[in-house]
Amino acid sequence: MVEPYRYVWLVWASAFLAVWALLYALFPRQRRAMGWASLYTTPFGLAEPLFVPAYWNPPSLFDLAQRTGFVLESLIFCFAIGGVGSVLYNIVTGARLEAVSAAQRHHHRHRWHRAALLTPFVVLPALLPLRWNPIYPAMLALGTGALATVTCRPDLTLKTLAGAVLFFGYYFVFMLALDAFAPGYIGQVWNLPALSGLRVLEVPVEELGFGLAFGAYWAGVYEHVCWQRVAAPPARDDGRPGGPACTARTAQS
């Protein structure tokens, strides 16, 4: 099984990275948010041992997945989806960001600022002992994080919902491309007997659920951490580099 599919995961992860690079080049205003988000999502690739082989068992470079559970390709994947997930809404709608005022930062909702941001990191370890397949705790953690975000920051509700739908569509296209590029790969690599068994055009619904939950949480995390908000969209993007700076005052609530 390994030989025909040895480089599929690398090629697929690199395809995500290629889209990231294209968006980074075409939308200078989004570069700061993309770089910040990718920096923070990359370490999540180190969580791969939670999923190998319980959720899937992909052939990987140097057979690392089979020997250690760690996968270099997952670092590429997490880097790429974080940056894209954080700005997809901005790119599609032309939205710009502006700083949240000091007065707004002291609204009573923001007393839960830190708790809302940390929600996924509390929910995931709390659910893992239930011995569900790890993809389900991961989806619930991300979904709960998105709910906590909009509770603390209602102004991010539209971005959260739209970001979920946009990233869902983006991720679904990549899953369909994977199935077309490597027929049979999903059936061989995903641990389908341990999942629901439901598939949409050969794509496990768990992957679609992950795409939806990831898009929901990550669409607004940059604004939440960096005290930014969506401003009125401009008439056009003049292409000049820049974008909102992530201030160091994220500890305020």
Side-chain angles (χ1 to χ4, degrees):
M1 188 270 287
V2 172
E3 286 303 327
Y5 299 127
R6 180 174 296 277
Y7 299 109
V8 170
W9 184 206
L10 176 63
V11 171
W12 195 54
S14 298
F16 279 100
L17 185 60
V19 174
W20 184 98
L22 180 64
L23 295 180
Y24 189 87
L26 293 178
F27 298 94
R29 290 189 182 278
Q30 309 303 329
R31 290 176 183 172
R32 189 182 298 275
M34 289 183 71
W36 178 93
S38 291
L39 178 67
Y40 279 89
T41 49
T42 300
F44 290 109
L46 299 175
E48 197 65 60
L50 291 175
F51 300 92
V52 176
Y55 178 63
W56 73 333
N57 194 15
S60 61
L61 290 176
F62 314 115
D63 295 323
L64 286 178
Q66 289 68 41
R67 293 194 290 111
T68 68
F70 292 101
V71 186
L72 293 175
E73 294 91 333
S74 292
L75 298 175
I76 300 172
F77 171 78
C78 288
F79 176 92
I81 65 171
V84 172
S86 68
V87 302
L88 204 53
Y89 173 87
N90 299 347
I91 289 173
V92 171
T93 65
R96 299 191 186 194
L97 303 181
E98 62 185 14
V100 173
S101 69
Q104 290 172 318
R105 294 186 193 189
H106 287 87
H107 190 280
H108 68 86
R109 286 194 187 94
H110 297 316
R111 74 182 69 177
W112 306 110
H113 179 77
R114 297 186 188 90
L117 288 169
L118 292 174
T119 295
F121 308 99
V122 174
V123 172
L124 179 59
L127 293 178
L128 288 176
L130 297 178
R131 297 187 182 279
W132 298 342
N133 191 285
I135 193 63
Y136 301 117
M139 286 190 292
L140 285 171
L142 289 166
T144 306
L147 181 61
T149 294
V150 300
T151 301
C152 181
R153 289 283 305 273
D155 60 294
L156 293 176
T157 300
L158 176 59
K159 191 172 192 289
T160 297
L161 294 175
V165 174
L166 289 169
F167 192 83
F168 170 86
Y170 173 77
Y171 194 68
F172 192 17
V173 168
F174 267 85
M175 289 298 302
L176 293 175
L178 173 64
D179 185 58
F181 173 74
Y185 183 81
I186 291 175
Q188 290 290 328
V189 170
W190 268 256
N191 187 8
L192 297 177
L195 305 179
S196 67
L198 300 175
R199 288 195 269 180
V200 179
L201 299 177
E202 298 305 317
V203 178
V205 294
E206 288 78 8
E207 283 295 321
L208 300 181
F210 167 78
L212 192 68
F214 182 89
Y217 177 70
W218 214 251
V221 73
Y222 175 77
E223 289 84 348
H224 200 177
V225 172
C226 297
W227 292 105
Q228 301 290 316
R229 60 179 297 163
V230 177
R236 65 181 182 86
D237 190 338
D238 61 14
R240 290 180 298 176
C246 178
T247 70
R249 300 176 62 190
T250 58
Q252 294 188 14
S253 57

